[in-house]
PDB file of all heavy atoms in Angstrom:
ATOM      1  N   ALA A 346      66.700  30.523 114.960  1.00  0.00           N
ATOM      2  CA  ALA A 346      67.720  31.098 114.074  1.00  0.00           C
ATOM      3  C   ALA A 346      68.327  29.927 113.270  1.00  0.00           C
ATOM      4  O   ALA A 346      68.808  30.225 112.112  1.00  0.00           O
ATOM      5  CB  ALA A 346      68.785  31.861 114.875  1.00  0.00           C
ATOM      6  N   GLN A 347      68.376  28.784 113.840  1.00  0.00           N
ATOM      7  CA  GLN A 347      69.013  27.623 113.067  1.00  0.00           C
ATOM      8  C   GLN A 347      68.057  27.390 111.883  1.00  0.00           C
ATOM      9  O   GLN A 347      68.652  27.004 110.802  1.00  0.00           O
ATOM     10  CB  GLN A 347      69.084  26.448 113.929  1.00  0.00           C
ATOM     11  CG  GLN A 347      69.563  25.166 113.306  1.00  0.00           C
ATOM     12  CD  GLN A 347      70.970  25.212 112.961  1.00  0.00           C
ATOM     13  OE1 GLN A 347      71.770  26.046 113.544  1.00  0.00           O
ATOM     14  NE2 GLN A 347      71.415  24.392 112.004  1.00  0.00           N
ATOM     15  N   ARG A 348      66.809  27.491 111.925  1.00  0.00           N
ATOM     16  CA  ARG A 348      65.918  27.214 110.842  1.00  0.00           C
ATOM     17  C   ARG A 348      65.952  28.421 109.777  1.00  0.00           C
ATOM     18  O   ARG A 348      65.662  28.194 108.685  1.00  0.00           O
ATOM     19  CB  ARG A 348      64.551  27.058 111.395  1.00  0.00           C
ATOM     20  CG  ARG A 348      64.347  25.732 112.206  1.00  0.00           C
ATOM     21  CD  ARG A 348      62.890  25.417 112.491  1.00  0.00           C
ATOM     22  NE  ARG A 348      62.326  26.401 113.433  1.00  0.00           N
ATOM     23  CZ  ARG A 348      62.241  26.317 114.710  1.00  0.00           C
ATOM     24  NH1 ARG A 348      62.738  25.273 115.209  1.00  0.00           N
ATOM     25  NH2 ARG A 348      61.648  27.192 115.451  1.00  0.00           N
ATOM     26  N   THR A 349      66.208  29.598 110.233  1.00  0.00           N
ATOM     27  CA  THR A 349      66.214  30.721 109.352  1.00  0.00           C
ATOM     28  C   THR A 349      67.529  31.581 109.595  1.00  0.00           C
ATOM     29  O   THR A 349      67.520  32.518 110.304  1.00  0.00           O
ATOM     30  CB  THR A 349      65.032  31.714 109.582  1.00  0.00           C
ATOM     31  OG1 THR A 349      65.001  32.066 110.928  1.00  0.00           O
ATOM     32  CG2 THR A 349      63.805  31.026 109.176  1.00  0.00           C
ATOM     33  N   PRO A 350      68.640  31.071 109.120  1.00  0.00           N
ATOM     34  CA  PRO A 350      69.971  31.731 109.350  1.00  0.00           C
ATOM     35  C   PRO A 350      70.012  33.235 108.875  1.00  0.00           C
ATOM     36  O   PRO A 350      69.356  33.559 107.784  1.00  0.00           O
ATOM     37  CB  PRO A 350      70.946  30.879 108.641  1.00  0.00           C
ATOM     38  CG  PRO A 350      70.268  30.081 107.698  1.00  0.00           C
ATOM     39  CD  PRO A 350      68.833  30.013 108.154  1.00  0.00           C
ATOM     40  N   GLU A 351      70.652  34.010 109.667  1.00  0.00           N
ATOM     41  CA  GLU A 351      70.875  35.456 109.226  1.00  0.00           C
ATOM     42  C   GLU A 351      72.262  35.638 108.764  1.00  0.00           C
ATOM     43  O   GLU A 351      73.188  34.959 109.291  1.00  0.00           O
ATOM     44  CB  GLU A 351      70.557  36.400 110.453  1.00  0.00           C
ATOM     45  CG  GLU A 351      69.120  36.343 110.918  1.00  0.00           C
ATOM     46  CD  GLU A 351      68.950  37.303 112.030  1.00  0.00           C
ATOM     47  OE1 GLU A 351      69.767  38.183 112.342  1.00  0.00           O
ATOM     48  OE2 GLU A 351      67.838  37.123 112.715  1.00  0.00           O
ATOM     49  N   PRO A 352      72.511  36.606 107.845  1.00  0.00           N
ATOM     50  CA  PRO A 352      73.919  36.841 107.463  1.00  0.00           C
ATOM     51  C   PRO A 352      74.785  37.361 108.669  1.00  0.00           C
ATOM     52  O   PRO A 352      74.256  38.092 109.530  1.00  0.00           O
ATOM     53  CB  PRO A 352      73.783  37.913 106.306  1.00  0.00           C
ATOM     54  CG  PRO A 352      72.403  38.429 106.478  1.00  0.00           C
ATOM     55  CD  PRO A 352      71.626  37.419 107.206  1.00  0.00           C
ATOM     56  N   VAL A 353      76.037  36.972 108.700  1.00  0.00           N
ATOM     57  CA  VAL A 353      76.911  37.411 109.684  1.00  0.00           C
ATOM     58  C   VAL A 353      77.871  38.398 109.230  1.00  0.00           C
ATOM     59  O   VAL A 353      78.465  38.326 108.081  1.00  0.00           O
ATOM     60  CB  VAL A 353      77.657  36.185 110.279  1.00  0.00           C
ATOM     61  CG1 VAL A 353      78.688  36.599 111.449  1.00  0.00           C
ATOM     62  CG2 VAL A 353      76.724  35.152 110.796  1.00  0.00           C
ATOM     63  N   ASP A 354      78.143  39.493 109.940  1.00  0.00           N
ATOM     64  CA  ASP A 354      79.114  40.485 109.525  1.00  0.00           C
ATOM     65  C   ASP A 354      80.543  39.975 109.610  1.00  0.00           C
ATOM     66  O   ASP A 354      80.818  38.978 110.304  1.00  0.00           O
ATOM     67  CB  ASP A 354      78.987  41.704 110.405  1.00  0.00           C
ATOM     68  CG  ASP A 354      77.720  42.498 110.287  1.00  0.00           C
ATOM     69  OD1 ASP A 354      77.144  42.400 109.264  1.00  0.00           O
ATOM     70  OD2 ASP A 354      77.344  43.125 111.342  1.00  0.00           O
TER      71      ASP A 354
END
Side-chain angles (χ1 to χ4, degrees):
Q347 178 69 21
R348 291 189 293 268
T349 55
E351 295 180 17
V353 177
D354 293 334

